[in-house]
């Protein structure tokens, strides 16, 4: 991609204040896919100033005006969906079929969900006969988004913030920025007023840190690693701005003996989806001992049957991981698992056969893992599954909860009472059972070091609102 636009600030595409180029690498072939500019302090300041100047007028627009623009955005998004799919496939390695259906589809799905929730949302709620509660936009919001599900996360932040009357500055991941640039084009084409949406490319130590400490930013919404979330929280503390975090995970998938072989196959496929680069991936498979050997055999075969190939190829395969740094981290952790004494039953270090260039990882399964091993405690963020046996329901719950994370856990059993009983005991923001996905607008977020925010639907709108009590609103 050439002739890339730079930063979108105050309704215009502008050049960076100083030249600081960054090469975007195609993970399928390790070639330069595009070159972007990284912002500096002057660019951050300009974007925040534009958002601040636009806030007073935008926050006072009617719900109907904002809703009309959101519907126009959805129209633009759908009309340019193929461009978005191609951009994400190129920048982060999602196979093009998956990029069209899942990666691009996630953006339009969440946008539709927010429109439905916003249509019914009330910003004024009577409390007593004479008192009312107002829900008002928090102000200028910095949105810092990751590379693994680019549109999923940009839409989950930008749309509810703007819908509720906030103005925003988006910093997409510098590793996968092309989709963020396209989204800025969509916002411009939809006709949002100048300054309501601003976009500056940059890295975490640059623009990300500048936004976190900026005195004119009222809120930071961040998705990424727990380590980065901690740093952002500390940086934001001096100005006491609100920080909403959606962080890592190490999900446990509890497979009871009555779940069956289909659930075993699903457990492997769900772990390897998006090449394992999902914070909610079920990377710890806890199996009841009576079916443990069978489950190990089934998931190992699923790993061996999982095809790995370039993102540009059509088909139901998995692509590369996003970067050389990510590839090296995963390779190192696979070796750690071997060194720890876990039983390697599929995959291992190195690239799959026939793939000598590109950040391709073998779908890997370790058996006989215990929960004290590093591969059971560290978020690997690749197609690596750890299988752990358990004997009792209580033991399964204890192992599942023995983690610093708490994003998504999974349960596989046809026993409804057992599913509900175990789900109540799991310390996570979400529990998926028997492969049943979550509904549109369902709250996404975690416990513990998986973060403190909720995204999607009504909960996502409420993230960006202040609560104001007003007495004497009506005459007694």
């Amino acid at each position: 991609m050439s002739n890339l636009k730079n930063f979108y600030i105050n309704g215009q595409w502008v050049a960076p204040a100083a030249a600081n180029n960054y090469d975007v690498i195609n993970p399928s072939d390790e070639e330069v896919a595009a070159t972007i500019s990284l912002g500096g302090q002057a660019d951050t300041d300009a974007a925040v100033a534009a958002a601040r100047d636009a806030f007073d007028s935008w926050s006072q627009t009617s719900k109907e005006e904002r809703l009309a623009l959101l519907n126009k955005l959805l129209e633009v998004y759908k009309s340019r969906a193929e461009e978005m799919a191609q951009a994400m496939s190129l920048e982060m390695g999602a196979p093009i079929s998956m990029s069209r259906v899942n990666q691009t589809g996630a953006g339009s799905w969440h946008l539709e969900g927010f429109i439905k929730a916003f249509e019914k949302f009330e910003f004024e709620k009577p409390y007593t006969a004479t008192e009312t509660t107002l829900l008002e936009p928090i102000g200028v919001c910095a949105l810092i988004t990751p590379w693994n599900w680019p549109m999923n996360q940009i839409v989950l932040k930008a749309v509810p913030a703007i819908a509720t009357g906030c103005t925003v500055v988006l910093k997409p991941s510098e590793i996968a920025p092309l989709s963020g640039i396209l989204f800025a084009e969509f916002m411009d084409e939809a006709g949002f007023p100048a300054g309501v949406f601003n976009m500056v490319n940059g890295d975490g130590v640059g623009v990300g840190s500048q936004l976190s400490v900026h005195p004119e930013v009222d809120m930071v919404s961040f998705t990424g690693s727990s380590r980065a979330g901690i740093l952002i929280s500390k940086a934001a503390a001096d100005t006491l701005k609100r920080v909403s975090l959606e962080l890592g995970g190490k999900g446990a998938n509890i497979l009871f003996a009555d779940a069956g072989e289909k659930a075993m196959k699903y457990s492997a496929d769900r772990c390897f989806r998006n090449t394992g680069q999902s914070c909610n991936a079920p990377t710890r498979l806890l199996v009841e001992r009576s079916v443990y050997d069978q489950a190990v055999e089934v998931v190992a075969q699923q790993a061996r049957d999982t095809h790995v190939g370039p993102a540009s190829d059509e088909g139901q395969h998995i692509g590369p991981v996003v970067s050389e740094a990510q590839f090296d981290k995963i390779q190192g952790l696979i070796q750690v698992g071997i060194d720890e004494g876990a039983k390697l039953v599929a995959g291992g270090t190195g690239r799959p056969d026939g793939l000598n260039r590109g950040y391709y990882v073998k779908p890997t399964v370790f058996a006989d893992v215990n929960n004290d091993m590093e591969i059971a405690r560290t978020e690997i963020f690749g197609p690596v599954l750890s299988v752990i046996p358990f004997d009792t329901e209580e033991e399964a719950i204890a192992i599942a909860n023995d983690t610093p994370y708490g994003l998504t856990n999974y349960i596989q059993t046809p026993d409804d009472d057992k599913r509900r009983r175990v789900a109540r005991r799991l310390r996570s923001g979400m529990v998926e059972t028997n492969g049943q996905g979550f509904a549109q607008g369902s709250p996404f977020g975690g416990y513990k070091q998986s973060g403190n925010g909720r995204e999607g639907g009504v909960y996502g709108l409420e993230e960006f609102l202040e609560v104001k009590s007003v007495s004497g609103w009506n005459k007694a």
Side-chain angles (χ1 to χ4, degrees), residues 243-263:
V243 178
S244 179
L245 302 172
E246 195 277 286
L247 307 175
K250 192 68 180 177
N253 182 1
I254 303 175
L255 193 147
F256 288 99
D258 54 6
E261 185 174 327
K262 184 178 179 181

Side-chain angles (χ1 to χ4, degrees), residues 29-337:
D29 60 14
E30 303 180 46
E31 298 294 331
V32 175
T35 300
I36 63 167
S37 297
L38 299 183
Q41 187 68 59
D43 305 300
T44 301
D45 289 344
V48 173
R52 176 57 61 195
D53 289 345
F55 175 69
D56 282 347
S57 59
W58 178 248
S59 63
Q60 298 306 308
T61 55
S62 69
K63 179 179 174 180
E64 290 70 27
E65 289 176 83
R66 291 181 229 159
L67 187 58
L69 285 167
L70 291 177
N71 278 301
K72 178 61 177 177
L73 175 62
L74 179 60
E75 178 185 318
V76 173
Y77 190 104
K78 288 183 174 180
S79 71
R80 300 182 64 181
E82 180 61 20
E83 292 176 70
M84 185 61 75
Q86 294 288 344
M88 287 190 285
S89 184
L90 178 68
E91 69 187 357
M92 53 77 59
I96 187 60
S97 299
M98 187 259 191
S99 187
R100 289 187 182 113
V101 175
N102 302 103
Q103 290 281 2
T104 303
S108 53
W109 192 70
H110 286 305
L111 180 48
E112 289 170 348
F114 279 124
I115 288 172
K116 292 174 184 176
F118 187 62
E119 287 173 336
K120 300 176 182 178
F121 197 83
E122 298 293 336
F123 290 88
E124 178 182 322
K125 300 180 180 181
Y127 187 67
T128 68
T130 61
E131 183 179 326
T132 200
T133 302
L134 303 181
L135 301 178
E136 299 185 336
I138 193 169
V140 174
C141 300
L143 315 177
I144 303 174
T145 58
W147 48 259
N148 61 322
W149 286 91
M151 274 304 101
N152 187 77
Q153 291 308 126
I154 288 176
V155 170
L156 278 173
K157 297 181 189 300
V159 170
I162 288 169
T164 54
C166 297
T167 55
V168 307
V169 179
L170 169 68
K171 188 206 85 65
S173 169
E174 73 278 14
I175 297 172
L178 309 182
S179 51
I181 294 170
L182 260 183
F183 186 79
E185 289 187 17
F186 295 179
M187 294 293 290
D188 185 68
E189 187 175 339
F192 285 85
V196 171
F197 174 88
N198 306 274
M199 188 274 299
V200 178
N201 283 307
D203 56 19
V205 297
V207 174
S209 295
Q210 293 157 14
L211 289 169
S212 300
V213 301
H214 206 290
E216 291 297 316
V217 169
D218 300 295
M219 175 179 174
V220 177
S221 179
F222 170 77
T223 297
S225 70
S226 298
R227 177 192 59 80
I230 291 167
L231 293 174
I232 287 171
S233 297
K234 290 179 178 179
D238 286 342
T239 49
L240 291 175
K241 57 173 57 70
R242 186 185 299 177
V243 178
S244 179
L245 302 172
E246 195 277 286
L247 307 175
K250 192 68 180 177
N253 182 1
I254 303 175
L255 193 147
F256 288 99
D258 54 6
E261 185 174 327
K262 184 178 179 181
M264 297 173 188
K265 291 180 178 180
Y266 171 80
S267 298
D269 293 342
R270 184 66 181 81
C271 175
F272 300 146
R273 184 186 301 175
N274 203 40
T275 320
Q277 298 171 121
S278 299
C279 50
N280 61 347
T283 52
R284 291 182 297 151
L285 178 58
L286 281 52
V287 183
E288 194 163 1
R289 198 173 298 274
S290 62
V291 295
Y292 179 76
D293 290 342
Q294 179 193 4
V296 169
E297 181 180 340
V298 169
V299 297
Q301 189 60 50
Q302 284 297 104
R304 290 189 286 268
D305 290 343
T306 299
H307 179 62
V308 183
S312 56
D313 288 356
E314 300 279 354
Q316 300 302 310
H317 60 286
I318 66 172
V321 296
V322 75
S323 66
E324 182 179 13
Q326 191 68 15
F327 176 85
D328 290 343
K329 174 193 171 186
I330 295 165
Q331 295 298 312
L333 284 166
I334 292 173
Q335 186 60 53
V336 165

Side-chain angles (χ1 to χ4, degrees), residues 416-434:
D416 290 342
D417 289 338
K418 185 189 294 183
R419 282 192 301 116
R420 296 188 186 101
R421 186 169 64 240
V422 174
R424 288 185 178 277
R425 300 278 303 280
L426 295 177
R427 297 289 296 164
S428 58
M430 296 169 287
V431 179
E432 180 192 290
T433 73
N434 292 344

